[in-house]
Amino acid sequence: MAEPTPLLLSNIAHKFGNTAVLNALNLSVKAGEFVALLGPSGCGKTTLLRAIAGLVTPNAGTITIDGKVVADDGIDHIPCENRGVGLVFQEYALFPNMTVAQNVGYGLPSPDSARVNGLLTLVGMADLGLRMPAQLSGGQQQRVALARALAPRPALLLLDEPFANVDAALKDTMGRLLRRVVQDEGATVLMVTHDQQSALSLADRVVIFGPQSSGSTIVQDASPTMVYHQPETAAVALMTGACALIDGDAQGAHAQTLLGQVPLVRPQNGSIRLVLRPEQLHFIENESGLCTVNDVQFSGAVQVLRCGSEAGPIDVLLASSIPAPAVGTRGNITVSAPAWALAHRDA
């Protein structure tokens, strides 16, 4: 007999007063899958997460967790504490009067020191079980919150902006830890974030929210590679990383643009809009070139050349080991790999 799907959302819609937040959302998350919901602040990502957890009752639609209908058309059938869901808030919400170990063991049906100690070891907190939350750094508190959410072995783990309160220098380290821990636990994860780097680096699938006056909908649901290299819309392209959007005229395998002829990922004809990522562009110095270096930003391994052109501002990546052209240098920008084209200029 097939295992039940950890999460199934059908036609979820919700309003706060007269303000539509979610509209006809459909989503499923498979066992062991890590799915990221990516979208701008205020688009309803956290509202959806809270609805799944049972903290908000959506006006319409069905929420099914681990094969059980927990909410249906504005009625909660199973309260939040009985849904088998683990939730990690961006504020972590640790109990200040409990030790680290007591926090982790709080949701267990009976005391289980082996489970608590095992999770503390897994998140690198084995020696800190007797400390109080106030004695921990933000990153350490996040680890405790993750261990506490995983302790009862939930059918689904929900993460609400898990890196919002972590220093930028620790974000990558914490992301790798999170990925390793949930894999070791075999957890199914749904994470909401507006941080495109976290979504792309951690998730198996990225679900892009598109805000509309009628409520946010899903505009793309695909692998991180697909949403980055083949975005469905200009908004998705901009949301998933730096890019320049250049209009052109497609003629089969190539397009004519203000940057010259550009090869296309797939043949098209007519008016298009190219999505050009900085890493697929090169700046070639030329005194009579059509582009000008307006700024050079050093970022460690790479430098970002911010160039002005008739097509608008364009960023170009350059290895930091290569001397960067001076501000004011003129030249041309070439495209080193086939470009992804949106079908319409207003896409």
Side-chain angles (χ1 to χ4, degrees), residues 14 25 82 132 156 202 231 261 267 272 299 341:
H14 191 64
L25 285 176
N82 294 329
M132 306 300 288
L156 180 67
L202 295 176
Q261 190 179 76
I272 58 169
S299 300

Side-chain angles (χ1 to χ4, degrees), residues 122-123 146 150 177-186:
L122 191 60
V123 299
L146 175 60
L150 287 169
L177 173 68
L178 170 62
R179 181 71 181 177
R180 177 177 61 79
V181 168
V182 297
Q183 285 179 335
D184 288 351
E185 282 286 303

Side-chain angles (χ1 to χ4, degrees), residues 33-48:
E33 196 172 26
F34 194 130
V35 175
L37 302 182
L38 180 64
S41 296
C43 72
K45 304 183 303 297
T46 295
T47 297
L48 180 62

Side-chain angles (χ1 to χ4, degrees), residues 38-325:
L38 180 64
S41 296
C43 72
K45 304 183 303 297
T46 295
T47 297
L48 180 62
L49 205 73
R50 291 171 66 85
I52 296 168
L55 302 176
V56 170
T57 304
N59 302 135
T62 303
I63 301 174
T64 304
I65 298 175
D66 206 26
K68 300 176 182 177
V69 174
V70 300
D72 185 39
D73 289 336
I75 300 173
D76 280 330
H77 297 294
I78 298 178
C80 57
E81 64 270 20
N82 294 329
R83 291 191 178 189
V85 169
L87 179 59
V88 179
F89 296 97
Q90 57 182 289
E91 302 88 0
Y92 311 141
L94 300 178
F95 299 112
N97 59 334
M98 292 184 181
T99 66
V100 165
Q102 288 170 337
N103 266 279
V104 174
Y106 177 78
L108 294 172
S110 60
D112 188 343
S113 59
R115 176 65 174 162
V116 171
N117 292 334
L119 282 168
L120 287 177
T121 299
L122 191 60
V123 299
M125 299 282 289
D127 298 328
L128 302 179
L130 296 180
R131 288 198 182 181
M132 306 300 288
Q135 297 174 298
L136 304 178
S137 68
Q140 290 172 328
Q141 290 184 41
Q142 184 198 47
R143 297 182 188 203
V144 177
L146 175 60
R148 183 179 64 182
L150 287 169
R153 292 186 173 88
L156 180 67
L157 178 63
L158 305 176
L159 305 175
D160 182 13
E161 299 283 5
F163 306 112
N165 296 317
V166 176
D167 293 341
L170 288 176
K171 189 174 292 187
D172 184 56
T173 299
M174 295 304 299
R176 289 197 298 270
L177 173 68
L178 170 62
R179 181 71 181 177
R180 177 177 61 79
V181 168
V182 297
Q183 285 179 335
D184 288 351
E185 282 286 303
T188 301
V189 180
L190 184 65
M191 176 181 76
V192 302
T193 183
H194 65 273
D195 180 350
Q196 55 90 10
Q197 188 56 49
S198 295
L200 295 177
S201 63
L202 295 176
D204 302 309
R205 279 165 53 207
V206 179
V207 177
I208 309 290
F209 268 32
Q212 299 180 14
S213 59
S214 58
S216 291
T217 59
I218 294 173
V219 294
Q220 189 165 1
D221 179 350
S223 69
T225 299
M226 287 293 290
V227 297
Y228 184 79
H229 290 295
Q230 298 185 13
E232 291 285 343
T233 67
V236 172
L238 293 168
M239 197 181 303
T240 51
C243 67
L245 301 174
I246 306 297
D247 290 338
D249 181 41
Q251 301 167 356
H254 295 81
Q256 293 296 330
T257 75
L258 290 172
L259 300 180
Q261 190 179 76
V262 176
L264 301 178
V265 170
R266 59 182 182 183
Q268 292 196 55
N269 290 287
S271 297
I272 58 169
R273 174 163 284 180
L274 297 179
V275 178
L276 301 178
R277 301 292 188 185
E279 64 271 15
Q280 68 185 122
L281 304 177
H282 290 296
F283 180 83
I284 301 174
E285 293 187 29
N286 185 329
E287 291 183 359
S288 58
L290 301 177
C291 304
T292 304
V293 177
N294 292 332
D295 188 28
V296 179
Q297 181 180 3
F298 180 77
S299 300
V302 298
Q303 303 168 89
V304 181
L305 309 184
R306 302 194 181 280
C307 303
S309 74
E310 293 183 18
I314 301 176
D315 285 355
V316 178
L317 290 190
L318 181 68
S320 60
S321 58
I322 300 174

